[in-house]
């Protein structure tokens, strides 16, 4: 097992990983930018190395500086968390070439799954149900138009290097296809320097359902239930829950086994997530595979009792999984609400500032993941998510009541947050009915 791990991240996920290391008796090294000198992760780690100024290109995205810090502190492994370099295949390769373990899959696998069009083709060959659409990449609008005419409208035009909705457009007719294709392709060239596109049949009002996977280096691969992540605003998840209100045991088993089959098809290692679209007729389709620990991983931890970050570290250290699929029990219902320093009254504009008074809830089945403390100044340079409130209840209504109570206790004076927005979702009749899909927020919370 590793004696020392460097965490190449900041905020609540860095704190989360530092805590897991401490519980495992592993020393932790934090890297921080000049703007994070007073940050909680910098203070909690056993060692802390300043890697540069606030700008991410000079700090949290700077591979050389992070690797230098790992070598200088003699860390045996680097945990990338999520975002930043967590799905950067070159960084994963650089770690391994430097004799430092990367807590995640290989660079090659990250690259394969990061190419969404290639991932689709791989899954098609493995017999995984994917959204009907192209197998080969599309580069020219005319080529795409012929395919879309053949498929029938509406279609979804997507960027192969995309994800999270970037470089994605819906085309509802032959007439609007070419314009939308060019817009999506240009967005992809600007954002990723890649003009590779692909086309899928548009799935009307789907749910975004993802299955958590854990795989060791010996081919043992587990699925750990699903997360319904349909409550999204502009492709940013707002709230996630497990289990999904409309998935029964039979469908859950089929999706879980399909996810394991997909992971095995690419010889997946470490924690990963298979994203599916679930349509109104309960058909599910592979959409993409995420090769990192995700923001919403605590939802799965609460219903399975498995610490995913610790399992990631054990797998990276070459240990085999200690549990088999038959020992996985999904218990109760978990919900996560992301607390962002943003103002819903001002189109969710980020609102950094100084924390003047802070109170987080507690109680049975209430978990907080955060890097906030009283008097902390939230820097303006990074993501606006400042805390996650996760609850675990006996069933969905118990979890909802528990979340309402927990959010009602939260005090974060000095900044504006989306707490009231979260509260409104938890009290919305459609949400309470469980009949939610990816259009829930646009349909009910966005001014027409
Ligand atoms: C789709 C889709 C419907 N049909 N693809 C969103 C980002 C990326 N994960 C892929 N996403 C989607 N792909 C087809 N063929 C619906 C989504 C989707 C979504 C789309 C618009 C607005 C919000 C959304 C939230 C989750 C998924």
């Amino acid at each position: 097992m590793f004696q020392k791990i460097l965490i190449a991240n900041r905020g609540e996920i860095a704190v989360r990983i530092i805590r897991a290391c401490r519980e495992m008796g592993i020393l932790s090294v934090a890297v921080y930018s000049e703007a994070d000198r007073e940050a909680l992760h910098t203070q909690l780690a056993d060692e802390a190395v300043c890697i540069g100024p606030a700008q991410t290109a000079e700090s949290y995205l700077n591979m050389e500086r992070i690797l230098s810090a790992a070598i200088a502190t003699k860390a045996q492994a680097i945990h990338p968390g999520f975002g930043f370099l967590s799905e950067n295949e070159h960084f994963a390769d650089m770690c391994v070439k430097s004799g430092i373990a990367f807590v995640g899959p290989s660079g090659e696998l990250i690259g394969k799954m990061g190419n969404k069009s290639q991932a689709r083709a791989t899954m098609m060959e493995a017999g995984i149900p994917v959204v009907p659409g192209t197998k080969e990449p599309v580069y020219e609008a005319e080529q795409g138009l012929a395919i879309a005419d053949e498929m029938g409208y509406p279609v979804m035009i997507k960027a192969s290097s995309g994800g999270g909705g970037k470089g994605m457009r819906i085309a509802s007719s032959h007439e609007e296809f070419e314009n939308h294709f060019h817009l999506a392709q240009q967005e992809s060239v600007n954002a990723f320097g890649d003009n590779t596109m692909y086309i899928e049949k548009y799935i009307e009002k789907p749910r975004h359902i993802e299955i958590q996977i854990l795989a060791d280096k010996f081919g043992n691969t587990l699925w750990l239930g699903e997360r319904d992540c349909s409550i999204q605003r502009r492709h940013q998840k707002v709230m996630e829950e497990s289990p999904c209100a409309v998935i029964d045991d039979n469908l859950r088993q089929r999706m879980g086994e399909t996810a394991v089959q997909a992971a095995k098809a690419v010889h997946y290692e470490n924690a990963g997530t298979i994203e599916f679209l679930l349509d109104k007729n309960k058909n599910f389709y592979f959409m993409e595979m995420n090769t990192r620990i995700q923001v919403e991983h605590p939802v799965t931890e609460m219903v399975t009792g498995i610490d995913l970050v610790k399992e990631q570290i054990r797998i990276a250290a070459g240990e085999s999984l200690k549990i088999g699929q038959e020992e996985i029990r999904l218990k109760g219902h978990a919900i996560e609400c992301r607390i962002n320093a943003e103002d819903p009254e001002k189109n969710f504009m980020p609102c950094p500032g100084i924390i003047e008074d802070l109170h987080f809830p507690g109680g049975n089945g209430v978990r907080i993941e955060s890097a906030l403390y009283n008097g902390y100044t939230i820097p303006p340079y990074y993501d606006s998510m400042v805390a996650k409130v996760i609850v675990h209840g006996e069933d969905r209504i118990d979890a909802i009541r528990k979340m309402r109570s927990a959010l009602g206790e939260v005090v974060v004076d000095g900044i504006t947050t989306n707490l009231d927005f979260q509260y409104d979702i938890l009290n919305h009749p459609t949400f309470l009915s469980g009949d939610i899909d990816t259009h829930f927020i646009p349909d009910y919370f966005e001014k027409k």
Side-chain angles (χ1 to χ4, degrees):
M1 178 47 80
F2 308 122
Q3 282 75 43
K4 189 185 284 187
I5 295 178
L6 181 143
I7 293 93
N9 215 301
R10 65 176 302 281
E12 62 90 10
I13 191 62
V15 170
R16 166 79 179 89
I17 297 163
I18 289 166
R19 287 170 176 162
C21 290
R22 183 147 294 140
E23 291 171 23
M24 296 173 82
I26 299 171
L27 291 171
S28 54
V29 178
V31 290
Y32 65 94
S33 71
E34 289 162 6
D36 278 338
R37 199 173 292 283
E38 306 303 323
L40 186 58
H41 79 283
T42 307
Q43 300 173 54
L44 283 185
D46 295 294
E47 290 176 67
V49 178
C50 184
I51 52 171
Q55 289 69 22
T56 51
E58 300 299 309
S59 51
Y60 299 106
L61 285 176
N62 191 301
M63 296 186 238
E64 291 78 11
R65 294 185 181 191
I66 289 169
L67 268 174
S68 304
I71 292 163
T73 57
K74 297 184 175 50
Q76 287 96 19
I78 291 179
H79 196 308
F82 48 65
F84 295 128
L85 296 169
S86 63
E87 295 188 299
N88 183 309
E89 59 186 294
H90 308 299
F91 182 63
D93 287 341
M94 280 172 78
C95 291
V96 175
K97 283 194 187 105
S98 310
I100 296 172
F102 178 79
V103 182
S106 66
E108 183 194 5
L109 216 157
I110 291 172
K112 273 178 69 175
M113 293 298 103
N115 176 330
K116 309 297 177 192
S117 177
Q118 184 187 0
R120 268 174 58 83
T122 304
M123 295 304 167
M124 283 177 193
E125 278 149 31
I128 306 292
V130 305
V131 182
T134 52
K135 181 168 186 182
E136 301 308 321
V138 176
Y139 297 96
E140 301 299 330
E142 303 80 77
Q143 180 194 1
L145 179 61
I147 293 166
D149 285 349
E150 179 67 28
M151 275 167 59
Y153 295 90
V155 298
M156 190 69 107
I157 301 162
K158 291 185 175 180
S160 191
S161 294
K166 259 196 176 300
M168 186 175 87
R169 285 285 189 295
I170 300 172
S172 302
S173 68
H174 175 94
E175 290 65 33
E176 70 177 34
F177 179 89
E178 292 195 282
N179 179 37
H180 286 216
F181 184 93
H182 287 129
L183 287 170
Q185 189 172 44
Q186 193 52 53
E187 193 175 307
S188 178
V189 167
N190 296 345
F192 314 110
D194 179 5
N195 67 349
T196 314
M197 307 301 285
Y198 62 102
I199 299 162
E200 296 178 338
K201 191 85 190 93
Y202 180 67
I203 309 291
E204 301 285 345
K205 295 205 159 196
R207 282 179 189 248
H208 173 124
I209 306 295
E210 55 190 35
I211 301 277
Q212 181 67 55
I213 288 288
L214 262 186
D216 63 19
K217 294 178 188 276
F218 311 96
N220 302 306
T221 307
L222 303 174
W223 61 278
L224 300 172
E226 81 278 12
R227 296 185 290 260
D228 187 339
C229 304
S230 301
I231 310 262
Q232 302 191 12
R233 182 182 172 277
R234 309 222 170 139
H235 301 297
Q236 287 294 317
K237 295 166 183 168
V238 172
M239 183 187 291
E240 307 96 345
E241 65 179 299
S242 180
C244 164
V246 301
I247 292 181
D248 63 21
D249 287 347
N250 175 280
L251 176 55
R252 177 170 297 109
Q253 184 82 22
R254 286 189 292 119
M255 292 182 79
E257 287 169 0
T258 303
V260 166
Q261 189 188 339
K264 287 190 169 178
V266 296
H267 307 296
Y268 197 76
E269 284 181 12
N270 213 281
T273 297
I274 306 284
E275 283 187 3
F276 292 104
L277 289 175
L278 182 70
D279 72 13
K280 294 296 181 200
N281 304 320
K282 305 282 181 56
N283 301 306
F284 60 93
Y285 308 95
F286 170 87
M287 190 161 55
E288 47 195 87
M289 176 168 206
N290 299 325
T291 56
R292 66 184 188 275
I293 191 78
Q294 301 203 209
V295 169
E296 59 270 25
H297 76 272
V299 163
T300 298
E301 295 185 323
M302 300 290 263
V303 296
T304 62
I306 292 168
D307 185 312
L308 292 170
V309 171
K310 289 184 180 176
E311 291 305 326
Q312 281 192 288
I313 293 169
R314 291 177 184 129
I315 288 167
E319 293 185 15
S320 62
L321 289 172
K322 300 290 175 289
I323 45 175
Q325 191 66 53
E326 59 291 342
E327 292 156 86
I328 305 288
R329 290 282 175 280
L330 305 176
K331 190 172 173 298
H333 197 102
I335 302 173
E336 173 183 85
C337 283
R338 300 186 187 200
I339 310 302
N340 301 327
E342 60 188 13
D343 187 348
E345 299 305 312
K346 293 180 186 154
N347 198 26
F348 292 86
M349 185 180 74
C351 283
I354 300 176
I355 303 297
E356 285 157 8
D357 193 9
L358 183 69
H359 170 77
F360 278 132
N364 180 28
V366 178
R367 170 176 170 182
I368 301 294
E369 293 292 342
S370 175
L372 295 184
Y373 58 83
N374 246 322
Y376 175 55
T377 300
I378 300 172
Y381 307 99
Y382 309 113
D383 187 82
S384 66
M385 186 176 77
V386 292
K388 299 175 321 198
V389 179
I390 306 106
V391 301
H392 181 258
E394 289 156 15
D395 55 26
R396 188 166 193 262
I397 190 62
D398 185 42
I400 290 172
R401 287 196 188 109
K402 194 170 284 212
M403 183 61 88
R404 285 177 183 154
S405 167
L407 293 186
E409 264 198 66
V410 174
V411 172
V412 188
D413 285 349
I415 60 165
T416 310
T417 68
N418 62 337
L419 264 171
D420 290 345
F421 180 54
Q422 292 283 14
Y423 217 73
D424 292 344
I425 293 170
L426 288 164
N427 286 295
H428 194 284
T430 305
F431 174 78
L432 291 169
S433 76
D435 180 24
I436 54 168
D437 58 45
T438 51
H439 290 248
F440 173 75
I441 289 199
D443 284 355
Y444 297 105
F445 287 90
E446 292 191 341
K447 299 176 183 65
K448 296 297 171 208

